[in-house]
Amino acid sequence: MIIVDTSVWIDYFKGLDTPETLALDSALGDEEVAIGDLILLEILQGFRADKDYKIAKKHLTALHQFNMLTPDLAVKAADNYRKLRKQGITIRKTADVIIATFCIENRLPLLYADKDFIPFTQYLKLRSVTGKT
């Protein structure tokens, strides 16, 4: 099972061919793809057309879904953010800290295109689906 970040889903729905969207396309046929509640929110709020929103909602809600934030994970996410800050790295979006921490704690690889996840792979043992660091 893999988690797919918003950054990849956006490119996928735009029809872009990137290494990450090709990996997603392959994973949809070969293994279980999961989505987190924060990722679902980020994706769905980006659709302008009702028709596109409804189609995406139908397909995305059919995937295995996780609630990504609990009180314990909130503390671990804060700890991870602070560990990276001590390395001189500032993660721009709190949602990315939550997503990365969820994947680390649950030992689930993340498919992402957003560069903010790279420090999590380098310093905090986030597993990347594509192996990039």
Side-chain angles (χ1 to χ4, degrees), residues 87-104:
Q87 297 287 331
I89 300 163
T90 302
I91 304 302
R92 299 171 294 156
K93 294 182 282 182
T94 300
D96 289 348
V97 178
I98 294 167
I99 293 164
T101 300
F102 175 86
C103 290
I104 292 165

Side-chain angles (χ1 to χ4, degrees), residues 2 6 34 47 53 73-75 93 105 111-112 120 128:
I2 65 168
T6 310
F47 284 99
Y53 171 84
L73 275 173
V75 172
K93 294 182 282 182
E105 293 300 313
L111 179 58
Y112 62 88
F120 290 96
S128 168

Side-chain angles (χ1 to χ4, degrees), residues 44-45 47-58:
L44 292 179
Q45 71 186 8
F47 284 99
R48 291 190 176 121
D50 288 343
K51 179 182 176 188
D52 295 336
Y53 171 84
K54 288 176 185 175
I55 292 168
K57 180 180 165 186
K58 177 184 175 189

Side-chain angles (χ1 to χ4, degrees), residues 12-113:
Y12 187 79
F13 283 119
K14 286 182 178 178
L16 301 178
D17 285 333
T18 67
E20 295 81 17
T21 60
L22 295 173
L24 172 56
D25 198 43
S26 176
L28 286 168
D30 295 340
E31 61 185 291
E32 190 167 5
V33 173
I35 193 166
D37 51 1
L38 292 175
I39 298 166
L40 181 63
L41 167 64
E42 288 182 323
I43 298 165
L44 292 179
Q45 71 186 8
F47 284 99
R48 291 190 176 121
D50 288 343
K51 179 182 176 188
D52 295 336
Y53 171 84
K54 288 176 185 175
I55 292 168
K57 180 180 165 186
K58 177 184 175 189
H59 291 290
L60 293 172
T61 57
L63 299 173
H64 186 89
Q65 295 182 43
F66 289 104
N67 296 323
M68 298 192 109
L69 190 61
T70 65
D72 286 341
L73 275 173
V75 172
K76 289 177 182 179
D79 290 343
N80 286 341
Y81 179 86
R82 290 174 45 78
K83 287 176 188 173
L84 292 176
R85 284 290 293 151
K86 288 177 183 176
Q87 297 287 331
I89 300 163
T90 302
I91 304 302
R92 299 171 294 156
K93 294 182 282 182
T94 300
D96 289 348
V97 178
I98 294 167
I99 293 164
T101 300
F102 175 86
C103 290
I104 292 165
E105 293 300 313
N106 290 282
R107 296 179 180 91
L108 291 168
L110 180 65
L111 179 58
Y112 62 88

